[in-house]
C-alpha cells in the first residue's frame, strides 16, 4: 500500500479490496509546502507543485478507483466494490443513462455535435449489462436528441432538445419492450421550450424537467431560447404545468431526495455558448430546496455547495439519500445535509469525463466522454424505492 503524509491509512477491512483506494488526509492538505496551483476545472490530483512528496501522493491518487475525503465514503462504497470501463467509446458526450431492471439493459445516447448527422441523433445505444454487448436502436417513431432519461414503473421517460427548426424539446414515454415512443408534452401553452436537459419523476409520477440553453449552445436547436433556463413541473394526471425555478446561468441536472420532499439542482452557468466557453467565474453551484407536502413550490432555498473541481452535470440521489453527481474526473458523493463531498468514484482521468449515471440495487453505470463505466458491489443500496 502506498504510504504518504497526505493519505490516511486504510482500515484493515479494506486491505483485501479488489479496487485501488486513496483516503485523503484533510488535515495534511490544510497547509501545503512550497508552490501549488490548479484551476477549478482540474481535479485536486492535477495540482501543480514543486514539492516532491506532495507530487508523489497526487500521482498515486491519479491511479486509484476511489478517493475518500470522509470516512463515511468508505462504508458507502465498501470493500467489494470495483470500477470497470466496460465500453470504450469516443470522447463525444454520452448522456441520458436509464437502467431497465426488467430486461437488464442500459439505454443511453451519444449527444450533440460533432456526432450523428450534423449533431442530430435519431438513435440510442442499448447495452446488455450481463454480457456488455452494445447495439444501436431506434424508437417508433424516432426520438431525436434525447438528453435526459429516468425509469419509472416499467416505462422510460425522456426529454429532448428538439432539433433544428423542425422540432422543439419534448417529454416522451418509451416502452422498453416494443420501443414505441409517445409524446406527452411539447409546449407551455403554445410556447416552445428552449431544449430539455434532464428530468426527474416524483413518487406520484409527476415530472420535473430542466429547460436549458445547452442544445441551442451546441447548435442542435436553431431558434434563440424563448426565456432564461427554467425548471418546469408537469402534473402527470392533468398535464397542468408551471415554472418552479429560473436562472440566468443554466439549468442542468435535477434530483429528488428519497422521501420526495427535497430537490437538488446544479446551476451550470460556467458553460457559456456561442461562442462555446467555460468561464471559471460562471455559476457552478448546487441548490437545495424543500417541497411542502409534495406541492410544486420550491421553498427553503439554500446554497448546498460548489464542486471541488469542474462542474456537476447529471445528478441522482441514492436510496439512502446520498447525492451522486458527475464531476469531470469522476462521480462525487455528497452529504445532502452539510454539502461536503465525501469521496469520488473515478473514471480514470485523462480525457475521460463522467457526465451522468443510472442506479441498480448495489451497482451503477456511469456514462460520459470515453464511454461507459460499471461500478458494482457497493455496500450501500443505490436504487431508490420508486
Amino acid at each position: 500500500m502506498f504510504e504518504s503524509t497526505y493519505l490516511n491509512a486504510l482500515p484493515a477491512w479494506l486491505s483485501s479490496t479488489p479496487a485501488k483506494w486513496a483516503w485523503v488526509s484533510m488535515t495534511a492538505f490544510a497547509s501545503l509546502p512550497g508552490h501549488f496551483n490548479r484551476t477549478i476545472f482540474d481535479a485536486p490530483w492535477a495540482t501543480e507543485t514543486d514539492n516532491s512528496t506532495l507530487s508523489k501522493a497526487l500521482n498515486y491518487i491519479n491511479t486509484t478507483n476511489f478517493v475518500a475525503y470522509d470516512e463515511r465514503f468508505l462504508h458507502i462504497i465498501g470493500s467489494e466494490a470495483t470500477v470497470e470501463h466496460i465500453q470504450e467509446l469516443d470522447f463525444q458526450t454520452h448522456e441520458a443513462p436509464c437502467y431497465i431492471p426488467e430486461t437488464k439493459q442500459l439505454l443511453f445516447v451519444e449527444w450533440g455535435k460533432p456526432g450523428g448527422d450534423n449533431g442530430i441523433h435519431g438513435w440510442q445505444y442499448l447495452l446488455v449489462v450481463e454480457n456488455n454487448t452494445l447495439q444501436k436502436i431506434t424508437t417508433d417513431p424516432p426520438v431525436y436528441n434525447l438528453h435526459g432519461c429516468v425509469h419509472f414503473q416499467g416505462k422510460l421517460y425522456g426529454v429532448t432538445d428538439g432539433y433544428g427548426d423542425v422540432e422543439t424539446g419534448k417529454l416522451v414515454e418509451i416502452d422498453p419492450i416494443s420501443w414505441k415512443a409517445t409524446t406527452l408534452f411539447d409546449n407551455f401553452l403554445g410556447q416552445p421550450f428552449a431544449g430539455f436537459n434532464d428530468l426527474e419523476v416524483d413518487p406520484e409520477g409527476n415530472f420535473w424537467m430542466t429547460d436549458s440553453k445547452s442544445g441551442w449552445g451546441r447548435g442542435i436547436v436553431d431558434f434563440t431560447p424563448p426565456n432564461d433556463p427554467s425548471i418546469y413541473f408537469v402534473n402527470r394526471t392533468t398535464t397542468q404545468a408551471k415554472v418552479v425555478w429560473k436562472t440566468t446561468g443554466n439549468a442542468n441536472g435535477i434530483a429528488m431526495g428519497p422521501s420526495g420532499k427535497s430537490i437538488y439542482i446544479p446551476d451550470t452557468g460556467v458553460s457559456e455558448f456561442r461562442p462555446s466557453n467555460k468561464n471559471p467565474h460562471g455559476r457552478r453551484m448546487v441548490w437545495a430546496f424543500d417541497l411542502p407536502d409534495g406541492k410544486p413550490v420550491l421553498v427553503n432555498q439554500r446554497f448546498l455547495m460548489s464542486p471541488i473541481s469542474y462542474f456537476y452535470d447529471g445528478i441522482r440521489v441514492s436510496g439512502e439519500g446520498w447525492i451522486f453527481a458527475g464531476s469531470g474526473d469522476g462521480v462525487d458523493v455528497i452529504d445532502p445535509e452539510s454539502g461536503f463531498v465525501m469521496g469520488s468514484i473515478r473514471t480514470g482521468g485523462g480525457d475521460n469525463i463522467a457526465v451522468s449515471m443510472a442506479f441498480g440495487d448495489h451497482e451503477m453505470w456511469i456514462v460520459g466522454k470515453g464511454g461507459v463505466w460499471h461500478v458494482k458491489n457497493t455496500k450501500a443500496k443505490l436504487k431508490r424505492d420508486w
Side-chain angles (χ1 to χ4, degrees), residues 6 8 23-31 68-70 308 340-341:
Y6 299 99
N8 294 317
W23 182 6
V24 174
S25 170
M26 302 304 287
T27 301
F29 268 88
S31 178
Y69 300 108
D70 185 305
I308 292 173
F340 281 120
V341 176

Side-chain angles (χ1 to χ4, degrees), residues 125-190:
Y125 279 121
L126 189 67
L127 177 72
V128 179
V129 303
E130 292 185 321
N131 57 19
N132 292 325
T133 57
L134 191 66
Q135 61 179 305
K136 292 180 180 179
I137 65 161
T138 302
T139 63
D140 177 23
V143 173
Y144 289 92
N145 296 324
L146 189 71
H147 204 154
C149 182
V150 293
H151 175 276
F152 181 75
Q153 295 183 352
K155 302 288 187 182
L156 304 182
Y157 295 92
V159 288
T160 75
D161 290 285
Y163 67 95
D165 58 0
V166 177
E167 181 177 289
T168 62
K170 62 184 181 180
L171 167 69
V172 296
E173 179 184 88
I174 301 172
D175 186 313
I177 304 301
S178 68
W179 297 113
K180 289 284 187 181
T182 305
T183 297
L184 301 182
F185 201 77
D186 66 3
N187 73 95
F188 185 51
L189 291 174

Side-chain angles (χ1 to χ4, degrees), residues 177-302:
I177 304 301
S178 68
W179 297 113
K180 289 284 187 181
T182 305
T183 297
L184 301 182
F185 201 77
D186 66 3
N187 73 95
F188 185 51
L189 291 174
Q191 173 198 296
F193 296 109
F196 290 120
N197 191 299
D198 210 343
L199 79 161
E200 178 64 290
V201 178
D202 65 27
E204 286 72 44
N206 303 310
F207 302 103
W208 304 72
M209 306 179 295
T210 62
D211 193 30
S212 81
K213 53 189 175 185
S214 300
W216 170 80
R218 291 284 287 271
I220 297 170
V221 177
D222 290 340
F223 59 85
T224 302
N227 57 14
D228 285 332
S230 307
I231 292 178
Y232 288 86
F233 168 86
V234 179
N235 182 287
R236 182 186 187 90
T237 304
T238 66
T239 63
Q240 188 172 14
K242 62 170 289 192
V243 175
V244 296
W245 187 75
K246 296 178 75 69
T247 178
T248 55
N250 199 27
N252 207 313
I254 182 169
M256 189 166 287
S259 66
K261 296 187 181 297
S262 57
I263 203 162
Y264 307 96
I265 301 167
D267 187 341
T268 57
V270 63
S271 294
E272 297 179 342
F273 303 105
R274 299 197 182 189
S276 180
N277 180 49
K278 295 291 188 292
N279 180 357
H281 301 290
R283 297 189 179 195
R284 44 188 296 275
M285 55 186 64
V286 177
W287 295 105
F289 301 85
D290 293 332
L291 298 174
D293 299 322
K295 294 183 176 65
V297 178
L298 304 188
V299 301
N300 190 24
Q301 179 177 3
R302 52 208 182 270

